[in-house]
Amino acid sequence: MDLIISLTVNGLATGMLIFLLAAGLTLIFGLMSVLNFAHGGLFIWGAYTGVWSFQMTGSFIVGIIVAIITGLLLGLVTERLIIRPVYGNHIQQILITLGFMLVLQEFIKVVFGPDQKAVFPPEILQGSFLVGDIVLIKYRLFIIAVGLLIFIVSSFILKRTRVGLIVRAGVMNKEMVQSLGINIKLVFMLVFMVGAGLAALSGIMHAVYSGVIYAEMGLEFSILAFIVVVIGGMGSFSGSLFAAILVGLAQAFMAYYVPALSLAVNMLLMTVVLIFRPQGLFGKE
Amino acid sequence: MNIRRMEKSTWIFIIISLLLFIVPFIVTGRSMQFTIIQIFIFAIFAMSYDILLGFTGIISFGHVMFFGIGAYSTAVIMDRMDATVMSFFVAILIAVFIAVIVSFIVGVLTLRLKSHFYAMLTLALAGLFLVAAEKWRSLTGGNDGFTFRLPEILRDSHNLYMLCLVSLLLFFFGLRRFTKSPFGRVLMAIRENEARTESLGYKVLHYKVIASVVAGVVASIAGVLYALSLRFVNTGVFATDLTIDVLLMTIIGGVGTLVGPILGAGLVEFAHHWLSGLSDVHWIFDRWIILYGTVYILVVIFFPLGIVGTIQSKLTNRPVKGLQDNRKAVGK
Amino acid sequence: MSSSLLKLDQVEAYIQKFHILQGVSFEVEKGGVTVLLGRNGAGKTTTLRTIMGLNQVGKGTITFNGENIGDLQTHQIANKGIGYVPEDQGVFGDLTVGENMRVAMKKEDEETTRRMEWVLELFPDLKKFWKKPGGALSGGQKQMLAIARAYVNENELLLIDEPSKGLAPIIVDKVTESIEQMKENTTILLVEQNFMMASKIGNQFFIIDDGKTVHKGQMEELKQDKVLMKKYLGIA
Ligand SMILES: Nc1ncnc2c1ncn2[C@@H]1O[C@H](COP(=O)(O)OP(=O)(O)O)[C@@H](O)[C@H]1O
Ligand SMILES: [Mg+2]
């Protein structure tokens, strides 16, 4: 029983981390139908700048803020320089964002050096709680809390505020939104920045979770996010959360019970979904 | 084939090919010869990619997995079996066999998806191959890789040169016929307008799967030759960097032209050769991916026809489809 | 009545490579309803879309309140005070009626609230189905929602594209009546195939044929002119 609870917490934590990354991806895809392959590059920049400022100042909060700001700014640059020239041409978009991903990854090595770096959680989040016989690692609980918070806040914004309504209306009918006097390009840019900010946030969160950062981590981890987005249904926020938790749990349990399969389990999940429900669990036809 | 009926371009290609056979007698520098061999190998790889991107309009980010399959098949077989020419043929057969199986399964499962999904899934799959190669150390030697022995005849760099050149020529003329065949025309129709091709009664999925099997097999042969030329293999043969390399070669040369990717391979490999020489000058040249990535991005935005595509459109005075999107445009 | 609110001068427009509008010129005067007539495929929808900046102006000029709006972007044009009710209504299907209205409302001031109340009184159905998703509304209700969305902001001009299309006669009457009420304080440019409706509320008319304006006049005259009606509208 204790084991199951602790594996579940692990799985939830991993799931929430993946969700944070997938959330930005799915948001950008859902609104702008841009599949941003550079997303992992934004993630890694969030991780490095966040860790750097965390270690410089000793404050994890500062680290998180710096990571998010980096994400927002890089999102702005990416949207302007990389995405905007090729709006409406999927082939160019796909090709170009992958290229930018690798450039972002290599620039990490230029700025921060090519070697991997160790990261430790802030003191307040080190250690664990003991509830009965169950050990709950603080940082994992923290991740779950942040993930839930982001999910709730974004759902609230999307469902309840006018900005959120505009964003959702933009998905359905871009021209009509413009005809109502709304600058959809600006909205797109902001959405892109928010998506990038989320990627960067998950970067710093993941850095502290895994205890080590290296440049290739972005691409590796974003593949998990891709899988989640496919399983959940492209563009569906709740679908991403559900699929992320599913993948997180599957990984945690597989890693413990059938370690040899833990690697393939995500691909397996995705393959099954693709065969039986190509639009994803929560996706619309 | 009736000689008089051959096109002018075919003659040009034959003359260039003959010239290439003389090159190793003129260029005797080892490192230069090696670079040229690499060009041949990557030209094959890039042509196989052109079948997907240029002729069928499929964007795969996982094409490198076939290259890796070829490289590892060769390395593992040569390592486990006797270093004979026979083993080498076995290696080729196994490479082709695995490539066919993998490309077929992946194609059937995923090619009916939209381009985004396909690109994403193939990237994920290639990632899986990379991780698997890193984890399955007993077979692959992991990131450190391993060296293996070759029969005498294949160790000679002169022979290697000829082998790679002959392969390149075979694949070039073979793929050229393939793309000009009725089958190739259907592929191009799919690229232009998938829905319309389907409505004309062609089973688009069948055609796409076959195209990706062909591309997969050719890429695996490129991988075989790559391992052969290095006498060494490591997980780098599955790396995304290679994907970006081959994308750059194909696009800079000109998608949908076959000649373009060869030219692109030449340019990129020479740049590689030259830049790695510069890494002693400044460490920034170690980070050549930044340069490649930037050039690649600029080419995709501003020069989507590539070199050969641009020349063709100038010569024939008609628009050539570069990286155009045949699906419904979303943005303004 | 010489003060023209909207003026198109020899406007041409392309959709992809097709030359759809080949010289559309007309003026909409302040107040009243101007009707654009013409058979199917004549270019009426394209004209409205071009005014809204959803199609690019190839040649010619479009002036609104004396200002050239031909080069502006759609949202800028809308914010000059033009409301648009597209042919397909453009209702956001996943958003409720209330949310549809909220997206449309640029301000939440007294004036907007007043207009909102007025328009809800005009279309009580909207109030009734306030929480229903737009996609679940009937055709008539969608039309009312689309009109309400365009009206709720203080727009000087409303462009309405075939509001009677696909509606039952009794609903058409309702919509006709509502437009008649709106015309009291807003200028309306109406595209309409339903001649009954057009002649009831229209003041002046223009006929578009093959992407060109070919005729103009007062609605009253057109009703008498059987030849013209047959030639361009196919109505005997
Ligand atoms: N997306 C499009 N692509 C090509 N032609 C179009 C497109 N939209 C409209 N057209 C053509 O433009 C012409 C005018 O259409 P439209 O403005 O919708 O006419 P109306 O509203 O008067 O019925 C028609 O001939 C139509 O076929
Ligand atoms: Mg119309």
Side-chain angles (χ1 to χ4, degrees):
Chain A
M1 190 60 208
D2 297 356
L3 177 68
I4 292 189
I5 291 182
S6 115
L7 284 179
T8 306
V9 172
N10 283 2
L12 283 177
T14 317
M16 283 302 182
L17 278 176
I18 305 173
F19 166 71
L20 287 179
L21 187 59
L25 201 63
T26 214
L27 195 70
I28 292 171
F29 183 83
L31 181 64
M32 305 153 76
S33 72
V34 168
L35 184 57
N36 181 18
F37 279 91
H39 208 66
L42 305 167
F43 167 91
I44 194 70
W45 272 88
Y48 268 86
T49 55
V51 165
W52 178 78
S53 49
F54 169 32
Q55 288 174 346
M56 292 302 279
T57 61
S59 160
F60 189 45
I61 303 280
V62 170
I64 288 183
I65 292 172
V66 167
I68 293 177
I69 292 175
T70 308
L72 292 174
L73 291 179
L74 272 179
L76 180 73
V77 173
T78 311
E79 204 269 344
R80 285 262 145 146
L81 295 184
I82 302 296
I83 309 283
R84 202 171 277 190
V86 293
Y87 260 132
N89 186 327
H90 286 154
I91 292 188
Q92 278 179 312
Q93 258 169 23
I94 296 172
L95 292 174
I96 207 173
T97 52
L98 182 77
F100 194 54
M101 160 81 229
L102 291 193
V103 171
L104 283 176
Q105 177 180 308
E106 285 298 300
F107 257 113
I108 281 285
K109 297 181 190 168
V110 172
V111 176
F112 296 97
D115 305 322
Q116 58 177 42
K117 291 187 178 3
V119 187
F120 301 99
E123 223 157 276
I124 187 169
L125 292 174
Q126 279 175 11
S128 51
F129 296 116
L130 214 61
V131 181
D133 287 338
I134 303 160
V135 182
L136 295 173
I137 294 173
K138 281 188 195 168
Y139 189 70
R140 291 190 181 151
L141 296 178
F142 175 68
I143 289 174
I144 296 173
V146 171
L148 277 180
L149 184 74
I150 295 287
F151 178 73
I152 292 167
V153 169
S154 341
S155 303
F156 177 80
I157 292 175
L158 277 177
K159 293 235 164 74
R160 300 262 177 258
T161 65
R162 180 165 183 251
V163 173
L165 293 176
I166 289 173
V167 166
R168 285 168 60 207
V171 181
M172 290 171 244
N173 191 336
K174 197 172 121 187
E175 289 192 340
M176 193 62 227
V177 172
Q178 284 172 291
S179 304
L180 291 171
I182 295 154
N183 184 353
I184 198 80
K185 273 191 188 163
L186 190 68
V187 176
F188 276 11
M189 199 179 79
L190 292 175
V191 168
F192 199 93
M193 288 172 67
V194 170
L198 280 173
L201 172 65
S202 72
I204 171 76
M205 300 285 293
H206 187 264
V208 175
Y209 180 63
S210 67
V212 55
I213 48 177
Y214 51 94
E216 285 79 14
M217 187 167 101
L219 193 56
E220 281 170 27
F221 201 65
S222 59
I223 286 176
L224 271 184
F226 288 155
I227 293 176
V228 156
V229 164
V230 170
I231 294 178
M234 290 300 278
S236 161
F237 220 62
S238 326
S240 292
L241 180 68
F242 180 83
I245 290 176
L246 190 70
V247 165
L249 288 176
Q251 261 200 340
F253 280 88
M254 281 296 191
Y256 188 81
Y257 290 108
V258 207
L261 268 185
S262 73
L263 196 73
V265 64
N266 304 318
M267 291 306 274
L268 228 59
L269 267 174
M270 183 168 75
T271 312
V272 171
V273 169
L274 281 178
I275 293 173
F276 294 106
R277 215 181 140 73
Q279 73 273 37
L281 295 178
F282 287 56
K284 293 205 190 87
E285 194 52 70
Chain B
M1 198 195 284
N2 188 331
I3 288 191
R4 244 173 296 167
R5 270 181 44 216
M6 281 206 285
E7 290 171 44
K8 200 168 78 189
S9 57
T10 309
W11 279 111
I12 297 174
F13 291 138
I14 288 178
I15 292 170
I16 293 176
S17 315
L18 290 176
L19 287 177
L20 282 174
F21 278 104
I22 316 174
V23 167
F25 300 98
I26 304 166
V27 180
T28 45
R30 271 201 150 272
S31 115
M32 201 55 198
Q33 263 193 16
F34 181 75
T35 301
I36 298 177
I37 289 174
Q38 297 296 304
I39 290 174
F40 292 163
I41 294 170
F42 277 97
I44 297 175
F45 189 26
M47 279 195 304
S48 78
Y49 196 75
D50 200 19
I51 294 294
L52 294 179
L53 179 62
F55 287 95
T56 324
I58 298 172
I59 308 177
S60 167
F61 284 160
H63 201 49
V64 74
M65 66 190 156
F66 301 108
F67 190 77
I69 285 171
Y72 268 111
S73 303
T74 312
V76 171
I77 295 292
M78 297 314 285
D79 189 43
R80 304 277 161 105
M81 290 173 63
D82 303 331
T84 60
V85 175
M86 196 56 214
S87 315
F88 179 59
F89 282 118
V90 173
I92 293 180
L93 279 181
I94 288 185
V96 169
F97 179 73
I98 300 178
V100 168
I101 300 283
V102 172
S103 59
F104 183 77
I105 293 177
V106 172
V108 167
L109 275 182
T110 57
L111 271 172
R112 65 208 154 98
L113 302 174
K114 293 206 184 82
S115 54
H116 302 110
F117 289 76
Y118 186 77
M120 193 161 83
L121 287 180
T122 46
L123 183 65
L125 262 177
L128 191 71
F129 271 84
L130 177 63
V131 178
E134 261 159 19
K135 297 267 152 86
W136 197 355
R137 298 189 131 266
S138 58
L139 188 75
T140 64
N143 199 15
D144 300 332
F146 62 94
T147 55
F148 53 88
R149 293 186 335 109
L150 283 179
E152 194 65 41
I153 184 167
L154 288 174
R155 244 180 301 172
D156 178 65
S157 78
H158 211 272
N159 292 347
L160 188 64
Y161 180 98
M162 291 304 167
L163 176 64
C164 292
L165 175 56
V166 169
S167 310
L168 172 63
L169 295 177
L170 279 179
F171 281 123
F172 173 67
F173 287 106
L175 290 177
R176 209 159 87 103
R177 288 204 76 167
F178 175 69
T179 55
K180 290 192 172 176
S181 71
F183 190 95
R185 303 260 167 231
V186 179
L187 292 186
M188 280 185 257
I190 292 173
R191 178 193 66 189
E192 301 294 309
N193 191 333
E194 192 169 328
R196 194 176 58 205
T197 314
E198 183 85 49
S199 70
L200 286 176
Y202 295 100
K203 286 248 176 289
V204 166
L205 183 64
H206 289 188
Y207 284 86
K208 280 175 145 186
V209 169
I210 292 175
S212 78
V213 169
V214 169
V217 167
V218 177
S220 75
I221 300 286
V224 168
L225 294 173
Y226 184 70
L228 200 64
S229 73
L230 293 181
R231 266 180 269 159
F232 167 77
V233 72
N234 74 354
T235 51
V237 291
F238 284 123
T240 317
D241 304 7
L242 270 186
T243 301
I244 212 83
D245 270 3
V246 79
L247 274 165
L248 181 59
M249 291 169 186
T250 313
I251 293 170
I252 207 171
V255 291
T257 61
L258 281 185
V259 188
I262 300 179
L263 196 67
L267 282 174
V268 171
E269 282 301 311
F270 268 122
H272 220 320
H273 179 80
W274 179 67
L275 283 178
S276 53
L278 282 180
S279 65
D280 302 334
V281 182
H282 195 286
W283 57 265
I284 191 81
F285 292 107
D286 268 342
R287 304 266 83 89
W288 48 268
I289 290 185
I290 293 180
L291 185 71
Y292 276 25
T294 311
V295 170
Y296 164 81
I297 290 169
L298 294 176
V299 168
V300 172
I301 298 182
F302 298 110
F303 198 51
L305 290 181
I307 297 169
V308 175
T310 306
I311 293 174
Q312 272 183 1
S313 79
K314 287 259 155 62
L315 282 183
T316 57
N317 240 332
R318 74 190 136 91
V320 175
K321 284 234 166 184
L323 297 169
Q324 279 184 36
D325 198 357
N326 54 32
R327 285 161 196 89
K328 202 175 146 244
V330 176
K332 207 177 175 182
Chain C
M1 289 225 298
S2 65
S3 54
S4 81
L5 183 61
L6 177 77
K7 183 170 181 214
L8 276 75
D9 189 15
Q10 287 301 320
V11 169
E12 301 189 17
Y14 291 79
I15 299 181
Q16 285 137 33
K17 52 183 186 275
F18 305 108
H19 197 177
I20 306 285
L21 299 187
Q22 315 190 351
V24 171
S25 306
F26 63 82
E27 286 182 44
V28 175
E29 282 151 12
K30 242 182 204 138
V33 175
T34 304
V35 186
L36 279 185
L37 297 165
R39 57 184 103 211
N40 265 331
K44 306 179 297 294
T45 298
T46 310
T47 303
L48 295 196
R49 286 176 56 83
T50 308
I51 296 170
M52 283 313 290
L54 294 166
N55 279 333
Q56 216 139 32
V57 181
K59 266 196 204 132
T61 53
I62 302 179
T63 25
F64 180 66
N65 264 331
E67 183 187 356
N68 185 358
I69 58 166
D71 299 327
L72 297 186
Q73 293 180 325
T74 300
H75 66 97
Q76 294 169 319
I77 294 169
N79 287 332
K80 295 279 175 206
I82 304 183
Y84 178 44
V85 181
E87 200 167 4
D88 63 1
Q89 293 113 37
V91 166
F92 306 121
D94 289 351
L95 302 191
T96 64
V97 171
E99 290 169 338
N100 265 279
M101 292 304 291
R102 204 149 157 232
V103 170
M105 286 161 69
K106 287 174 204 159
K107 299 185 220 146
E108 297 197 0
D109 56 3
E110 242 169 74
E111 173 64 16
T112 313
T113 318
R114 202 189 56 72
R115 292 178 82 96
M116 170 91 127
E117 276 162 12
W118 187 85
V119 86
L120 286 183
E121 216 146 285
L122 199 59
F123 302 125
D125 271 13
L126 296 184
K127 212 171 188 169
K128 198 161 132 204
F129 297 118
W130 195 247
K131 299 228 157 123
K132 201 170 171 177
L137 298 177
S138 73
Q141 289 159 350
K142 275 187 191 152
Q143 196 58 259
M144 292 170 194
L145 176 54
I147 294 175
R149 257 186 348 196
Y151 181 81
V152 75
N153 295 305
E154 266 180 281
N155 285 324
E156 261 182 282
L157 174 69
L158 296 187
L159 313 180
I160 309 181
D161 199 346
E162 295 206 44
S164 74
K165 199 176 178 184
L167 300 187
I170 183 159
I171 313 283
V172 174
D173 288 347
K174 173 77 203 151
V175 172
T176 311
E177 191 189 309
S178 66
I179 294 178
E180 263 191 309
Q181 295 208 22
M182 284 178 184
K183 98 186 212 194
E184 300 296 316
N185 47 19
T186 312
T187 310
I188 291 171
L189 174 59
L190 178 72
V191 166
E192 191 47 71
Q193 298 268 52
N194 181 327
F195 193 69
M196 287 279 283
M197 178 177 184
S199 59
K200 188 155 175 228
I201 47 180
N203 300 104
Q204 54 163 357
F205 74 90
F206 291 88
I207 294 178
I208 296 188
D209 198 45
D210 270 343
K212 289 191 267 294
T213 28
V214 290
H215 220 283
K216 71 168 191 179
Q218 296 299 313
M219 213 63 213
E220 287 303 319
E221 304 160 16
L222 183 62
K223 281 188 225 168
Q224 321 299 330
D225 197 335
K226 294 277 187 281
V227 182
L228 199 61
M229 293 215 313
K230 184 152 180 69
K231 184 168 177 204
Y232 292 114
L233 310 174
I235 315 167

